[in-house]
Amino acid sequence: MSDRYMGLALEQARLAWAEGEVPVGAVVVKDGEVIATGYNQPIGRHDPTAHAEIVALRAAADKLGNYRLPGCELYVTLEPCIMCSGAMMHARLARVIYAAVDPKTGACGSVLNLFDQERLNHHTEVQGGVMADEASSLLRAFFAERRAAARKLPASS
Ligand SMILES: [Zn+2]
């Protein structure tokens, strides 16, 4: 079941890639139903907060007419950063499930773990590693393509 939702999050990640953004995607699930989706688009939106998770959380809160999202789960293809983890806590999200780890900005255990801070959080469970290979491959392919494009630029000008 979680693979199905993560598969949908990966589809969202591909939408980000199609717009030249780092491919990260997210979906919010409530009672087994996908109620919101989001993909990474900080460049296109000129918005440093437009990570996939924030976009999906906003859409879910708007749909439910509630700034809190109890009973909701968020599936995301990359380990959430500090900002997104904080937003999930404020939303009182029930659970976050992520795919690939992010050694550079991950706040679910890679750089630090905001979710094991008893003083911060009593609402959100964390699970990592769901379809991690697929999500990592997508990110690797994106950055490889970008490096290849950067190498070609001087020759074509
Ligand atoms: Zn983030």
Side-chain angles (χ1 to χ4, degrees):
M1 204 53 179
S2 60
D3 276 16
R4 195 188 124 222
Y5 298 130
M6 195 60 81
L8 295 172
L10 281 162
E11 283 179 18
Q12 290 293 310
R14 290 185 191 99
L15 295 177
W17 185 337
E19 295 182 11
E21 306 268 7
V22 174
V24 181
V27 301
V28 176
V29 176
K30 184 175 172 63
D31 301 327
E33 185 198 345
V34 175
I35 61 165
T37 62
Y39 59 88
N40 195 42
Q41 44 192 153
I43 301 167
R45 286 196 185 191
H46 308 139
D47 179 357
T49 72
H51 288 186
E53 300 96 310
I54 302 286
V55 173
L57 287 172
R58 281 204 174 115
D62 190 48
K63 179 156 188 173
L64 296 177
N66 189 348
Y67 75 112
R68 285 184 174 151
L69 302 171
C72 291
E73 297 182 315
L74 186 145
Y75 289 79
V76 57
T77 57
L78 185 64
E79 182 181 353
C81 70
I82 293 171
M83 172 182 72
C84 293
S85 299
M88 289 174 209
M89 291 178 193
H90 284 294
R92 301 204 174 169
L93 192 80
R95 198 157 76 108
V96 53
I97 302 94
Y98 66 89
V101 295
D102 185 347
K104 286 184 181 153
T105 67
C108 301
S110 286
V111 176
L112 49 77
N113 190 347
L114 285 180
F115 294 91
D116 70 359
Q117 304 292 314
E118 274 300 309
R119 289 183 298 167
L120 276 183
N121 178 55
H122 304 277
H123 301 284
T124 310
E125 285 177 39
V126 187
Q127 183 189 346
V130 173
M131 296 179 76
D133 290 345
E134 288 87 340
S136 301
S137 302
L138 188 67
L139 284 161
R140 271 200 306 275
F142 171 79
F143 286 112
E145 185 187 270
R146 212 158 73 160
R147 279 193 301 273
R151 278 197 299 274
K152 277 178 202 152
L153 273 180
S156 65
S157 60

